[in-house]
Structure formats: C-alpha cells, structure tokens
Amino acid sequence: HPDLRANMHPKLGYDAIRNVEGESSMDLDGHGSHCAGTIAGVGNNSEGVAGVAWSGVQLLGCRFMDANGEGYDSDAIECLRWCRKQGAKIASNSWGGGGANRALHDEMQAYEDWGGLFVVASGNAGRDTDASPSYPGSYRLASVVHVNAVDARNDRPPRWTNYGANDTHLFAPGVSIYSTVLGSGYNAYDGTSMACPHVAGAAALLWSFN
C-alpha cells in the first residue's frame, strides 16, 4: 500500500502457513492492512491516513490465517517467534477468541522475558472476559495489554465489545475507524481489532523516543 510502504521493514513479513518471508506474507482480506495503517500509516504525505506512530517505526506483517480468517495456534506461535528474532519489540494482535493453549502461553512468556509487549484485541462477542476468558488476551502475563473498543464520538463502549474489570486493561477507538485496505484504498471498519492497533501505535511512539 502506498501509505504504508515507507514504514515497512525491509523483510516485509512472514507467512507462517507456508514458511516464507517477503511479499507473500501480506494479508488476504485487508484486515491486517487496516490495522497496519492505524499503527504506522505514513504521515505528512498528503495521502490517506496518518498512523499513531507514523514516523520512526517499522512494520512487519506476519500471517498465520487464511482468507477465511482461520488459522492454527501453532502458526501463531511461529509468527511471534519469528517477530522476536527480527527484533520486533511490540506485537499487535487483532485476533483471538479461542481456548487456552499452553504452547502459545509459553511463547508469549518467552517474548515477555525477551522484552516484548503483546497488545491484543479482547473480541467482539459482547461478553465479560472475567467470567468467560478470551485467549490469548486472557493470559495473565505482565506483557499483555488486553484492549476493548470505545466509540470515540460519544466515549461509550459499543454493545459488541468484550470487557472485563480484571481481565482487560483499557479501551481505545474501535468504531468507524478509517484506515488502509488492500491495494491502495481506504475504508472504515469496526471492532476491537481496530482498537488494538491504536494502543500498539501509542506504545511504538513511546518506545521510539526511548
């Protein structure tokens, strides 16, 4: 995408399904591209959107889901491991909702021990994750930031966002979020998937000044 290209890492990304790096790691349905634009869409270029951390950061894409949004925890583990090996300090995870997986937990723990921050969407089922956990966000690790959605127009959470007084950490804009999509276009999406990259972008911005 022309509004992302200048902020992409030279390796671009990794496709854990086929175990290949580069162009083929890009997403298939625009979901990842939309999240990437919120994090680090290029600013001051008179085009499209500006990400929260539009200068001084690099984006790495990592795909473990197919065009239907289905994937395996084993491939998610490979993605996180690969990103750690590239030196990615922040992982933005707009996915989840499955059950607990010890191997994934342990890889997240390894990422934390290395110094990484794992930002993750809480989900769109409108449920209390204190009572009904949603993984990987519900893993009680110090490096996990579990993000709910809020409508920035009225400062109220939409009815579909998950929440949890103890299990989740904060709310971020997740309604009618305009960002980059496949090709060279833009569109507005809703979801905790859109809230998560706002937090990841803010963290990247802070980290870039350290």
Side-chain angles (χ1 to χ4, degrees):
H1 196 289
D3 218 6
L4 297 174
R5 188 177 299 117
N7 284 341
M8 293 299 298
H9 187 279
K11 285 193 174 181
L12 298 179
Y14 174 64
D15 179 351
I17 300 172
R18 295 184 295 161
N19 191 29
V20 293
E21 297 180 354
E23 287 281 353
S24 61
S25 65
M26 298 300 99
D27 76 298
L28 301 175
D29 62 2
H31 183 269
S33 297
H34 195 279
C35 295
T38 299
I39 295 171
V42 178
N44 282 355
N45 64 346
S46 301
E47 185 166 359
V49 298
V52 178
W54 58 265
S55 178
V57 302
Q58 289 186 316
L59 292 163
L60 275 169
C62 199
R63 179 158 63 87
F64 72 95
M65 292 185 177
D66 61 22
N68 297 317
E70 298 175 346
Y72 296 98
D73 284 349
S74 58
D75 289 332
I77 290 167
E78 289 303 318
C79 269
L80 187 58
R81 184 176 297 146
W82 183 87
C83 288
R84 173 164 52 90
K85 289 179 178 178
Q86 312 315 309
K89 291 291 190 180
I90 300 167
S92 183
N93 298 272
S94 289
W95 63 276
N101 181 306
R102 185 68 197 186
L104 177 58
H105 172 278
D106 290 349
E107 186 59 38
M108 290 168 61
Q109 181 69 69
Y111 186 61
E112 176 181 301
D113 294 344
W114 174 76
L117 182 70
F118 192 94
V119 185
V120 58
S122 69
N124 307 320
R127 75 176 194 244
D128 181 352
T129 57
D130 285 349
S132 181
S134 177
Y135 297 97
S138 292
Y139 291 124
R140 300 299 177 91
L141 296 172
S143 58
V144 170
V145 182
H146 203 184
V147 185
N148 310 311
V150 69
D151 189 337
R153 296 168 298 186
N154 57 22
D155 202 29
R156 294 175 63 86
R159 69 181 184 279
W160 44 258
T161 185
N162 286 352
Y163 57 93
N166 299 305
D167 186 65
T168 64
H169 301 103
L170 48 78
F171 288 81
V175 178
S176 298
I177 304 302
Y178 191 70
S179 189
T180 49
V181 294
L182 288 180
S184 57
Y186 302 85
N187 209 339
Y189 292 173
D190 298 341
T192 56
S193 284
M194 286 62 254
C196 174
H198 280 90
V199 177
L205 184 63
L206 287 170
W207 216 312
S208 72
F209 282 95
N210 247 333

